[in-house]
């Protein structure tokens, strides 16, 4: 009945009893649903605590998808074509950074960062993020700075970024206040939001997520159905500003 592997844990004194409990839980899930299973588990924990058992409370959840595979919706679109586009973007980003490394040998992380997040960005571009159009003001996306070559690589693939502009990325840049922008991007007005903020990526993203309702109420901007997306890496989350901004909205 159980889909779990029948390998007893090293610290389990009674693997057979454990399997019986797991089988019983799986049966409840199949026949009566997750709400009933959750209720029974809560009652068991409550009974154990009232009987004197020490069961520490934990806010940590299992490191797994919250939606099980058999309940996931199928992604629309041509999966093979989308993966091919992502492959082109990864290649273009790698070439861009490899060329830049000839004059600056500290840019290797730019390749690894986008290589790991390229699927998220590709799915976001294809299925989630809205550009400004009639009836929609457009979403705001804060891309992680080290992943920005992948954004330029996609723009190059789409014909919105020239080879001459790509040749200037990423080392030849300039600061605008606290922001860093590659010169060609700054001149072209390519980005709605500067892609580097000295590591404090989460802070403006969180604030932007809280503030839109205010100008909307003042009739300064339409925010209906608009979302703010923030992508952070370890460099961003090392900053106290980022961790401080990562709080429940309205706290």
């Amino acid at each position: 009945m159980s889909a779990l592997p029948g390998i007893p844990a090293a610290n389990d004194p009674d693997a057979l009893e454990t399997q019986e409990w797991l089988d019983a839980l799986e049966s409840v899930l199949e026949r009566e649903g997750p709400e009933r299973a959750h209720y029974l588990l809560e009652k068991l924990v409550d009974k154990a605590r009232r009987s004197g058992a020490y069961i520490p409370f934990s806010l940590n959840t299992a490191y797994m998808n919250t939606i099980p595979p058999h309940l996931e919706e199928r992604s629309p679109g041509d999966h093979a074509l989308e993966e091919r586009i992502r492959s082109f973007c990864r290649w273009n980003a790698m070439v861009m950074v490899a060329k830049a490394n000839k004059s600056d040998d500290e840019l290797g992380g730019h390749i690894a960062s986008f290589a790991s997040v390229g699927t998220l960005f590709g799915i976001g571009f294809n299925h989630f993020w809205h550009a400004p159009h009639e009836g929609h003001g457009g979403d705001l996306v804060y891309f992680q700075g080290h992943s920005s070559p992948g954004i330029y690589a996609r723009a190059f693939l789409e014909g919105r970024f020239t080879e001459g502009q790509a040749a200037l990325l990423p080392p030849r840049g300039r600061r605008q206040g606290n922001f860093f922008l590659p010169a060609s991007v700054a001149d072209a007005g390519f980005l709605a939001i500067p892609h580097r903020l000295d590591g404090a990526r989460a802070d403006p993203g969180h604030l932007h997520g809280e503030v839109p309702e205010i100008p909307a109420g003042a009739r300064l901007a339409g925010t209906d159905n608009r979302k703010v997306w923030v992508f952070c890496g370890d460099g961003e989350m090392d900053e106290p500003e980022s961790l401080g901004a990562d709080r429940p909205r309205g706290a």
Side-chain angles (χ1 to χ4, degrees):
M1 179 185 295
S2 175
L4 297 174
I7 303 175
N11 60 347
D12 189 346
D14 192 337
L16 180 60
E17 181 185 36
T18 300
Q19 190 62 54
E20 289 175 352
W21 279 87
L22 293 175
D23 288 342
L25 176 61
E26 187 169 324
S27 177
V28 172
L29 285 168
E30 292 177 354
R31 296 174 182 273
E32 302 182 61
E35 291 186 1
R36 176 62 177 168
H38 181 265
Y39 175 79
L40 291 174
L41 290 172
E42 289 288 332
K43 295 295 288 185
L44 287 171
V45 171
D46 181 68
K47 175 62 177 176
R49 285 179 173 152
R50 292 179 184 274
S51 299
Y54 173 67
I55 302 179
F57 174 76
S58 175
L59 286 174
N60 296 329
T61 58
Y63 191 69
M64 59 185 296
N65 290 336
T66 55
I67 303 175
H70 67 280
L71 294 180
E72 291 179 354
E73 293 188 17
R74 291 289 298 172
S75 173
D78 187 326
H79 294 184
L81 177 59
E82 290 183 22
E83 179 57 32
R84 185 167 175 78
I85 292 173
R86 289 193 292 269
S87 297
F88 282 137
C89 290
R90 287 189 176 98
W91 175 261
N92 286 343
M94 183 187 69
V95 171
M96 189 183 304
V97 176
K99 287 185 177 180
N101 270 331
K102 294 180 179 179
S103 58
D104 188 337
D105 60 1
E106 298 181 356
L107 300 172
H110 291 67
I111 296 177
S113 295
F114 178 69
S116 63
V117 81
T119 297
L120 285 177
F121 283 4
I123 292 175
F125 276 119
N126 294 332
H127 302 291
F128 286 92
W129 302 334
H130 294 82
H133 60 274
E134 184 177 356
H136 197 293
D139 294 333
L140 297 175
V141 185
Y142 286 81
F143 293 108
Q144 183 208 14
H146 280 179
S147 300
S148 57
I151 307 304
Y152 308 138
R154 184 183 177 97
F156 177 72
L157 189 65
E158 294 174 346
R160 298 188 297 111
F161 212 58
T162 68
E163 188 170 353
Q165 287 174 305
L168 297 177
L169 298 176
R172 298 180 187 175
R174 67 163 182 259
R175 290 190 177 274
Q176 296 182 347
N178 289 329
F179 300 111
F180 174 84
L181 287 174
S184 57
V185 179
D187 294 339
F190 179 77
L191 294 173
I193 303 171
H195 79 285
R196 294 301 300 275
L197 183 54
D198 290 346
R201 167 64 56 232
D203 194 26
H206 279 80
L207 292 176
H208 223 143
E210 295 175 3
V211 168
E213 291 186 0
I214 299 175
R219 297 188 179 182
L220 297 178
T223 59
D224 291 345
N225 299 320
R226 300 179 69 183
K227 291 182 173 64
V228 178
W229 303 77
V230 182
F231 291 87
C232 297
D234 56 351
E236 287 79 13
M237 299 314 293
D238 280 345
E239 301 292 336
E241 303 94 321
S242 296
L243 293 175
D246 189 13
R247 62 192 186 278
R249 185 176 178 184

